[in-house]
PDB file of all heavy atoms in Angstrom:
ATOM      1  N   LEU A  35       4.762 -44.710  28.256  1.00  0.00           N
ATOM      2  CA  LEU A  35       6.196 -44.530  28.015  1.00  0.00           C
ATOM      3  C   LEU A  35       7.022 -45.167  29.123  1.00  0.00           C
ATOM      4  O   LEU A  35       8.064 -45.788  28.859  1.00  0.00           O
ATOM      5  CB  LEU A  35       6.526 -43.038  27.900  1.00  0.00           C
ATOM      6  CG  LEU A  35       6.006 -42.321  26.646  1.00  0.00           C
ATOM      7  CD1 LEU A  35       6.281 -40.824  26.734  1.00  0.00           C
ATOM      8  CD2 LEU A  35       6.650 -42.903  25.389  1.00  0.00           C
ATOM      9  N   THR A 112      40.185 -76.244  23.056  1.00  0.00           N
ATOM     10  CA  THR A 112      39.052 -77.155  23.153  1.00  0.00           C
ATOM     11  C   THR A 112      38.062 -76.568  24.153  1.00  0.00           C
ATOM     12  O   THR A 112      38.346 -76.467  25.347  1.00  0.00           O
ATOM     13  CB  THR A 112      39.490 -78.555  23.615  1.00  0.00           C
ATOM     14  OG1 THR A 112      40.423 -79.086  22.678  1.00  0.00           O
ATOM     15  CG2 THR A 112      38.281 -79.485  23.712  1.00  0.00           C
ATOM     16  N   THR A 114      33.786 -76.219  25.454  1.00  0.00           N
ATOM     17  CA  THR A 114      32.475 -76.882  25.471  1.00  0.00           C
ATOM     18  C   THR A 114      31.404 -75.804  25.620  1.00  0.00           C
ATOM     19  O   THR A 114      31.668 -74.745  26.209  1.00  0.00           O
ATOM     20  CB  THR A 114      32.342 -77.871  26.647  1.00  0.00           C
ATOM     21  OG1 THR A 114      32.307 -77.135  27.869  1.00  0.00           O
ATOM     22  CG2 THR A 114      33.484 -78.865  26.657  1.00  0.00           C
ATOM     23  N   GLU A 121      35.401 -68.437  32.129  1.00  0.00           N
ATOM     24  CA  GLU A 121      36.274 -69.589  31.857  1.00  0.00           C
ATOM     25  C   GLU A 121      36.845 -69.498  30.443  1.00  0.00           C
ATOM     26  O   GLU A 121      38.016 -69.828  30.211  1.00  0.00           O
ATOM     27  CB  GLU A 121      35.494 -70.889  32.025  1.00  0.00           C
ATOM     28  CG  GLU A 121      35.158 -71.228  33.477  1.00  0.00           C
ATOM     29  CD  GLU A 121      34.255 -72.438  33.594  1.00  0.00           C
ATOM     30  OE1 GLU A 121      33.502 -72.707  32.640  1.00  0.00           O
ATOM     31  OE2 GLU A 121      34.310 -73.123  34.635  1.00  0.00           O
ATOM     32  N   PRO A 142      63.809 -50.923  26.027  1.00  0.00           N
ATOM     33  CA  PRO A 142      64.041 -50.629  27.449  1.00  0.00           C
ATOM     34  C   PRO A 142      63.313 -49.359  27.904  1.00  0.00           C
ATOM     35  O   PRO A 142      62.850 -48.558  27.097  1.00  0.00           O
ATOM     36  CB  PRO A 142      65.565 -50.439  27.515  1.00  0.00           C
ATOM     37  CG  PRO A 142      66.099 -51.050  26.252  1.00  0.00           C
ATOM     38  CD  PRO A 142      65.023 -50.837  25.237  1.00  0.00           C
ATOM     39  N   ALA A 151      63.255 -45.867  17.498  1.00  0.00           N
ATOM     40  CA  ALA A 151      63.371 -46.038  16.034  1.00  0.00           C
ATOM     41  C   ALA A 151      64.667 -46.758  15.680  1.00  0.00           C
ATOM     42  O   ALA A 151      64.685 -47.632  14.799  1.00  0.00           O
ATOM     43  CB  ALA A 151      63.314 -44.677  15.349  1.00  0.00           C
ATOM     44  N   LYS A 156      67.356 -51.809  13.669  1.00  0.00           N
ATOM     45  CA  LYS A 156      68.382 -52.855  13.730  1.00  0.00           C
ATOM     46  C   LYS A 156      67.786 -54.251  13.633  1.00  0.00           C
ATOM     47  O   LYS A 156      68.464 -55.199  13.225  1.00  0.00           O
ATOM     48  CB  LYS A 156      69.175 -52.719  15.039  1.00  0.00           C
ATOM     49  CG  LYS A 156      70.050 -51.485  15.101  1.00  0.00           C
ATOM     50  CD  LYS A 156      70.747 -51.389  16.456  1.00  0.00           C
ATOM     51  CE  LYS A 156      71.606 -50.139  16.551  1.00  0.00           C
ATOM     52  NZ  LYS A 156      72.243 -49.998  17.890  1.00  0.00           N
ATOM     53  N   THR A 168      56.764 -41.905  10.013  1.00  0.00           N
ATOM     54  CA  THR A 168      55.407 -42.404  10.290  1.00  0.00           C
ATOM     55  C   THR A 168      54.856 -41.814  11.580  1.00  0.00           C
ATOM     56  O   THR A 168      53.715 -41.344  11.621  1.00  0.00           O
ATOM     57  CB  THR A 168      55.407 -43.943  10.384  1.00  0.00           C
ATOM     58  OG1 THR A 168      55.863 -44.489   9.144  1.00  0.00           O
ATOM     59  CG2 THR A 168      54.007 -44.468  10.668  1.00  0.00           C
ATOM     60  N   ASP A 192      49.861 -30.530  20.087  1.00  0.00           N
ATOM     61  CA  ASP A 192      50.439 -29.201  20.314  1.00  0.00           C
ATOM     62  C   ASP A 192      51.649 -29.018  19.392  1.00  0.00           C
ATOM     63  O   ASP A 192      52.558 -29.856  19.375  1.00  0.00           O
ATOM     64  CB  ASP A 192      50.867 -29.062  21.780  1.00  0.00           C
ATOM     65  CG  ASP A 192      51.235 -27.638  22.152  1.00  0.00           C
ATOM     66  OD1 ASP A 192      52.092 -27.044  21.464  1.00  0.00           O
ATOM     67  OD2 ASP A 192      50.658 -27.117  23.127  1.00  0.00           O
ATOM     68  N   PRO A 193      51.688 -27.953  18.607  1.00  0.00           N
ATOM     69  CA  PRO A 193      52.788 -27.764  17.646  1.00  0.00           C
ATOM     70  C   PRO A 193      54.168 -27.658  18.283  1.00  0.00           C
ATOM     71  O   PRO A 193      55.186 -27.844  17.599  1.00  0.00           O
ATOM     72  CB  PRO A 193      52.406 -26.465  16.925  1.00  0.00           C
ATOM     73  CG  PRO A 193      51.415 -25.784  17.819  1.00  0.00           C
ATOM     74  CD  PRO A 193      50.689 -26.870  18.525  1.00  0.00           C
ATOM     75  N   LYS A 196      57.714 -32.042  20.319  1.00  0.00           N
ATOM     76  CA  LYS A 196      58.672 -32.529  19.313  1.00  0.00           C
ATOM     77  C   LYS A 196      58.129 -33.706  18.527  1.00  0.00           C
ATOM     78  O   LYS A 196      58.194 -33.752  17.299  1.00  0.00           O
ATOM     79  CB  LYS A 196      59.988 -32.930  19.992  1.00  0.00           C
ATOM     80  CG  LYS A 196      60.874 -31.764  20.400  1.00  0.00           C
ATOM     81  CD  LYS A 196      62.239 -32.270  20.848  1.00  0.00           C
ATOM     82  CE  LYS A 196      63.198 -31.138  21.111  1.00  0.00           C
ATOM     83  NZ  LYS A 196      64.562 -31.633  21.439  1.00  0.00           N
ATOM     84  N   ALA A 206      58.759 -52.507  26.749  1.00  0.00           N
ATOM     85  CA  ALA A 206      58.410 -53.920  26.951  1.00  0.00           C
ATOM     86  C   ALA A 206      59.112 -54.755  25.889  1.00  0.00           C
ATOM     87  O   ALA A 206      59.792 -54.229  25.009  1.00  0.00           O
ATOM     88  CB  ALA A 206      56.895 -54.123  26.873  1.00  0.00           C
ATOM     89  N   VAL A 220      53.865 -52.073  14.306  1.00  0.00           N
ATOM     90  CA  VAL A 220      54.724 -51.982  15.486  1.00  0.00           C
ATOM     91  C   VAL A 220      54.191 -50.924  16.455  1.00  0.00           C
ATOM     92  O   VAL A 220      54.059 -51.170  17.663  1.00  0.00           O
ATOM     93  CB  VAL A 220      56.170 -51.644  15.077  1.00  0.00           C
ATOM     94  CG1 VAL A 220      57.019 -51.295  16.300  1.00  0.00           C
ATOM     95  CG2 VAL A 220      56.792 -52.805  14.312  1.00  0.00           C
ATOM     96  N   LEU A 225      51.117 -49.325  21.393  1.00  0.00           N
ATOM     97  CA  LEU A 225      50.009 -48.562  21.970  1.00  0.00           C
ATOM     98  C   LEU A 225      49.029 -49.484  22.695  1.00  0.00           C
ATOM     99  O   LEU A 225      48.447 -49.107  23.723  1.00  0.00           O
ATOM    100  CB  LEU A 225      49.292 -47.762  20.887  1.00  0.00           C
ATOM    101  CG  LEU A 225      50.037 -46.531  20.354  1.00  0.00           C
ATOM    102  CD1 LEU A 225      49.263 -45.907  19.200  1.00  0.00           C
ATOM    103  CD2 LEU A 225      50.267 -45.504  21.453  1.00  0.00           C
ATOM    104  N   GLU A 264      62.428 -47.595  44.849  1.00  0.00           N
ATOM    105  CA  GLU A 264      62.557 -46.757  46.041  1.00  0.00           C
ATOM    106  C   GLU A 264      62.928 -45.324  45.674  1.00  0.00           C
ATOM    107  O   GLU A 264      62.341 -44.361  46.180  1.00  0.00           O
ATOM    108  CB  GLU A 264      63.614 -47.343  46.984  1.00  0.00           C
ATOM    109  CG  GLU A 264      63.782 -46.531  48.269  1.00  0.00           C
ATOM    110  CD  GLU A 264      64.890 -47.082  49.156  1.00  0.00           C
ATOM    111  OE1 GLU A 264      65.485 -48.118  48.787  1.00  0.00           O
ATOM    112  OE2 GLU A 264      65.152 -46.473  50.204  1.00  0.00           O
ATOM    113  N   ARG A 266      62.379 -43.863  42.849  1.00  0.00           N
ATOM    114  CA  ARG A 266      61.296 -43.240  42.091  1.00  0.00           C
ATOM    115  C   ARG A 266      60.237 -42.651  43.004  1.00  0.00           C
ATOM    116  O   ARG A 266      59.732 -41.553  42.768  1.00  0.00           O
ATOM    117  CB  ARG A 266      60.697 -44.271  41.127  1.00  0.00           C
ATOM    118  CG  ARG A 266      61.608 -44.538  39.955  1.00  0.00           C
ATOM    119  CD  ARG A 266      61.279 -45.793  39.186  1.00  0.00           C
ATOM    120  NE  ARG A 266      62.306 -46.009  38.159  1.00  0.00           N
ATOM    121  CZ  ARG A 266      62.580 -47.146  37.582  1.00  0.00           C
ATOM    122  NH1 ARG A 266      61.914 -48.236  37.916  1.00  0.00           N
ATOM    123  NH2 ARG A 266      63.524 -47.235  36.669  1.00  0.00           N
ATOM    124  N   GLY A 280      55.647 -23.881  44.481  1.00  0.00           N
ATOM    125  CA  GLY A 280      55.758 -22.939  43.368  1.00  0.00           C
ATOM    126  C   GLY A 280      57.154 -22.852  42.791  1.00  0.00           C
ATOM    127  O   GLY A 280      57.500 -21.893  42.081  1.00  0.00           O
ATOM    128  N   LEU A 283      60.902 -27.241  38.556  1.00  0.00           N
ATOM    129  CA  LEU A 283      61.352 -28.617  38.793  1.00  0.00           C
ATOM    130  C   LEU A 283      62.859 -28.762  38.600  1.00  0.00           C
ATOM    131  O   LEU A 283      63.501 -29.567  39.262  1.00  0.00           O
ATOM    132  CB  LEU A 283      60.610 -29.574  37.862  1.00  0.00           C
ATOM    133  CG  LEU A 283      59.107 -29.708  38.127  1.00  0.00           C
ATOM    134  CD1 LEU A 283      58.484 -30.711  37.167  1.00  0.00           C
ATOM    135  CD2 LEU A 283      58.851 -30.142  39.559  1.00  0.00           C
ATOM    136  N   GLU A 306      69.812 -22.275  30.043  1.00  0.00           N
ATOM    137  CA  GLU A 306      69.123 -21.075  29.571  1.00  0.00           C
ATOM    138  C   GLU A 306      68.318 -21.306  28.294  1.00  0.00           C
ATOM    139  O   GLU A 306      67.658 -20.386  27.813  1.00  0.00           O
ATOM    140  CB  GLU A 306      70.152 -19.960  29.347  1.00  0.00           C
ATOM    141  CG  GLU A 306      70.908 -19.571  30.611  1.00  0.00           C
ATOM    142  CD  GLU A 306      72.040 -18.582  30.345  1.00  0.00           C
ATOM    143  OE1 GLU A 306      72.193 -18.169  29.170  1.00  0.00           O
ATOM    144  OE2 GLU A 306      72.765 -18.237  31.296  1.00  0.00           O
ATOM    145  N   ALA A 328      59.095 -47.069  32.935  1.00  0.00           N
ATOM    146  CA  ALA A 328      58.697 -48.338  33.537  1.00  0.00           C
ATOM    147  C   ALA A 328      57.372 -48.145  34.259  1.00  0.00           C
ATOM    148  O   ALA A 328      57.011 -47.031  34.644  1.00  0.00           O
ATOM    149  CB  ALA A 328      59.766 -48.812  34.519  1.00  0.00           C
ATOM    150  N   ALA A 335      54.679 -41.781  40.092  1.00  0.00           N
ATOM    151  CA  ALA A 335      54.105 -40.479  39.749  1.00  0.00           C
ATOM    152  C   ALA A 335      52.727 -40.295  40.384  1.00  0.00           C
ATOM    153  O   ALA A 335      52.353 -39.187  40.774  1.00  0.00           O
ATOM    154  CB  ALA A 335      54.009 -40.337  38.227  1.00  0.00           C
ATOM    155  N   PRO A 338      53.445 -40.762  45.119  1.00  0.00           N
ATOM    156  CA  PRO A 338      54.759 -40.313  45.595  1.00  0.00           C
ATOM    157  C   PRO A 338      54.928 -40.540  47.094  1.00  0.00           C
ATOM    158  O   PRO A 338      53.951 -40.603  47.837  1.00  0.00           O
ATOM    159  CB  PRO A 338      54.748 -38.813  45.273  1.00  0.00           C
ATOM    160  CG  PRO A 338      53.297 -38.441  45.274  1.00  0.00           C
ATOM    161  CD  PRO A 338      52.573 -39.639  44.736  1.00  0.00           C
ATOM    162  N   ASP A 342      59.550 -34.030  53.264  1.00  0.00           N
ATOM    163  CA  ASP A 342      59.753 -32.583  53.230  1.00  0.00           C
ATOM    164  C   ASP A 342      60.917 -32.201  52.327  1.00  0.00           C
ATOM    165  O   ASP A 342      61.357 -31.043  52.319  1.00  0.00           O
ATOM    166  CB  ASP A 342      60.010 -32.054  54.652  1.00  0.00           C
ATOM    167  CG  ASP A 342      58.792 -32.208  55.556  1.00  0.00           C
ATOM    168  OD1 ASP A 342      57.664 -31.994  55.064  1.00  0.00           O
ATOM    169  OD2 ASP A 342      58.966 -32.548  56.742  1.00  0.00           O
TER     170      ASP A 342
END
Side-chain angles (χ1 to χ4, degrees):
L35 290 174
T112 300
T114 68
E121 289 174 333
K156 291 177 181 177
T168 300
D192 191 306
K196 284 189 173 185
V220 170
L225 287 175
E264 181 183 358
R266 286 164 185 159
L283 293 181
E306 299 173 3
D342 294 321

